Amino acid sequence: MTFPISGVHLNPAILILVGFVVGIFGGFFGVGGSFIAGPALFELGLPMNFVVGTDLAHLVGKSLVAARRHAGLGNIDLRLAGLMMISTIPGVELGARWLEQLKKTGHLTHVLGLIFVTVLIFITIFMAVEVWLTLRAKRPRSSVRKNRDLSAFSGLAKKIQRLPFPPYVHLPKSNIERISFWSIVAVSFISGIFSGFLGGGAGYIRMPSMIYLLGVPTHVAVGTDLFEVIVSASYGTFTHALKGNVDIMIALVMHTGAAIGAQIGAQLTQYLNGVWIRMAFIPLPLIGAIMLLHRMP
Amino acid sequence: MTPRGKSEVRRLTPETILYGILVAAFCLGTVRWLGRPLQVLFRQHRFGYAVAALLLMIVQGFALERLAHAISSLFHRGRKAGR
């Protein structure tokens, strides 16, 4: 099938399949899945500028579907999502401007690629260590089986929750008694920078940050992160469409598979507790890093 | 799987299939009838294209899901009333 906007010839069945796989990941982990969809679209032959914009466009639809399903399961902290939105957009804008600056120096591919790979490998190692320590901790096995969200690094989140920088926020949905407003703003601002700089929704950094830095339960982090992805991806889609980087036909075809995948993924979170969701998440950033290294000249 | 989980899966499976059919029909309809106007918008009116792109994704992601949910609820209500 020829897509006249980008001028490429792609197999719609493969696009639907890619969408379906990324949709399951998105619904299950609360991430956009751009670290898989991006390299896959590039491998299929889509020009790089269309890869970034089209991936963002399909993210909007998929995140809406998955967020709706998570809202039904009670996994979205709307207050936290609202507070995070305040600084996500300025972060995305700053990241996009840094990207433009870097374009002028001419070392874009290598610098971006190395930053992306370093971040992805760090997240993989950090989460692997945390999950290993959590599962190894001498707790009765019944508490791991029950729907309790245990984490070996919960002390870090407790320290951040005690930071003395008013105003403070109470987040009952996330079981957070009190946390500085500035901690939330910092997390969403930094993940916004990653989103603008590296493309995608930056869920691979926001979701772990919400769990380990803010102390949000894994299920709520997954749902709330999807809400954030909707905001950053909508903004990104609009600006990239203005610049001519979005082939909406490809996004619509991909979303046919992603919509179903996202529903299935979101439903699956009901059957696993937090530590198992985090363990399943570990290989994903690593897969993204390997695909990126393979693609780099 | 718990009995609650099983009933949840039974409730959601037809809704997901219905949603899949609606999404596929919407996608085919858009490619068939809106392909050309979107191409023209992309070349001549980029702002209009950006708005249309965002709207199409929102309709495919949100409105069709709500429609599938509403149809599925109506069907369940009708079945309960019939018993």
Side-chain angles (χ1 to χ4, degrees):
Chain A
M1 183 177 173
T2 304
F3 293 91
I5 291 172
S6 55
V8 292
H9 189 84
L10 299 173
N11 186 342
I14 296 176
L15 285 177
I16 292 171
L17 184 71
V18 170
F20 181 73
V21 174
V22 175
I24 290 183
F25 285 144
F28 190 72
F29 299 112
V31 296
S34 54
F35 53 87
I36 291 171
L41 285 173
F42 188 72
E43 288 290 330
L44 287 173
L46 197 66
M48 198 57 198
N49 61 321
F50 276 106
V51 167
V52 176
T54 307
D55 179 38
L56 278 169
H58 116 275
L59 265 182
V60 175
K62 186 192 73 186
S63 309
L64 274 167
V65 175
R68 264 278 312 150
R69 186 63 77 205
H70 276 285
L73 297 169
N75 291 345
I76 296 184
D77 188 334
L78 281 176
R79 189 181 290 184
L80 176 63
L83 290 170
M84 289 184 89
M85 262 185 226
I86 297 170
S87 52
T88 297
I89 299 295
V92 173
E93 196 54 52
L94 184 66
R97 283 184 189 197
W98 279 354
L99 185 69
E100 288 300 313
Q101 292 265 313
L102 208 60
K103 263 186 195 171
K104 287 173 193 160
T105 64
H107 302 295
L108 183 70
T109 312
H110 280 98
V111 175
L112 261 184
L114 284 175
I115 292 173
F116 209 169
V117 167
T118 310
V119 169
L120 291 171
I121 290 174
F122 173 76
I123 293 168
T124 302
I125 295 170
F126 181 85
M127 290 187 80
V129 170
E130 183 272 328
V131 168
W132 185 64
L133 288 173
T134 303
L135 290 172
R136 207 171 133 258
K138 289 197 187 306
R139 290 189 177 95
R141 280 194 64 78
S142 59
S143 66
V144 176
R145 282 205 189 107
K146 279 180 196 168
N147 209 19
R148 280 183 58 194
D149 203 359
L150 305 169
S151 170
F153 291 168
S154 58
L156 179 63
K158 291 263 183 311
K159 274 183 195 154
I160 289 173
Q161 285 171 14
R162 281 198 293 266
L163 284 177
F165 301 122
Y168 301 105
V169 187
H170 173 50
L171 300 167
K173 183 87 199 170
S174 301
N175 297 324
I176 296 173
E177 269 307 309
R178 195 191 82 151
I179 188 164
S180 169
F181 165 79
W182 301 110
S183 307
I184 298 168
V185 165
V187 164
S188 54
F189 184 69
I190 291 167
S191 52
I193 291 175
F194 272 90
S195 175
F197 194 67
L198 301 172
Y204 49 84
I205 191 139
R206 196 186 302 108
M207 198 275 248
S209 302
M210 275 200 267
I211 297 168
Y212 300 119
L213 301 179
L214 302 180
V216 177
T218 306
H219 288 80
V220 180
V222 169
T224 309
D225 183 44
L226 278 166
F227 207 81
E228 283 295 298
V229 172
I230 296 172
V231 177
S232 53
S234 299
Y235 181 77
T237 301
F238 193 77
T239 53
H240 276 287
L242 284 176
K243 293 176 184 87
N245 296 337
V246 176
D247 188 328
I248 194 63
M249 294 299 179
I250 296 177
L252 287 169
V253 174
M254 267 180 90
H255 186 249
T256 310
I260 307 299
Q263 299 237 13
I264 295 170
Q267 201 59 36
L268 283 175
T269 57
Q270 257 193 311
Y271 307 110
L272 290 174
N273 68 23
V275 70
W276 296 112
I277 294 175
R278 296 199 297 276
M279 188 161 87
F281 185 90
I282 292 168
L284 298 193
L286 199 63
I287 293 168
I290 292 166
M291 287 175 102
L292 207 75
L293 279 173
H294 170 69
R295 214 177 63 195
M296 272 167 72
Chain B
M1 197 187 282
T2 61
R4 193 177 151 265
K6 276 183 187 167
S7 78
E8 187 83 348
V9 169
R10 261 202 300 272
R11 189 179 67 80
L12 288 172
T13 305
E15 193 180 313
T16 306
I17 293 169
L18 177 64
Y19 178 55
I21 294 166
L22 287 174
V23 165
F26 179 79
C27 178
L28 287 173
T30 308
V31 171
R32 175 80 180 78
W33 289 294
L34 292 181
R36 188 100 192 107
L38 281 169
Q39 216 181 317
V40 173
L41 269 181
F42 180 78
R43 294 223 173 99
Q44 295 171 3
H45 200 289
R46 209 44 83 63
F47 186 81
Y49 176 76
V51 173
L54 207 50
L55 276 177
L56 283 169
M57 286 318 300
I58 291 169
V59 169
Q60 203 187 34
F62 185 72
L64 290 184
E65 199 269 340
R66 294 307 302 150
L67 182 65
H69 181 70
I71 294 171
S72 165
S73 302
L74 269 175
F75 179 73
H76 279 289
R77 244 179 275 159
R79 256 180 50 169
K80 269 186 189 168
R83 271 180 202 163

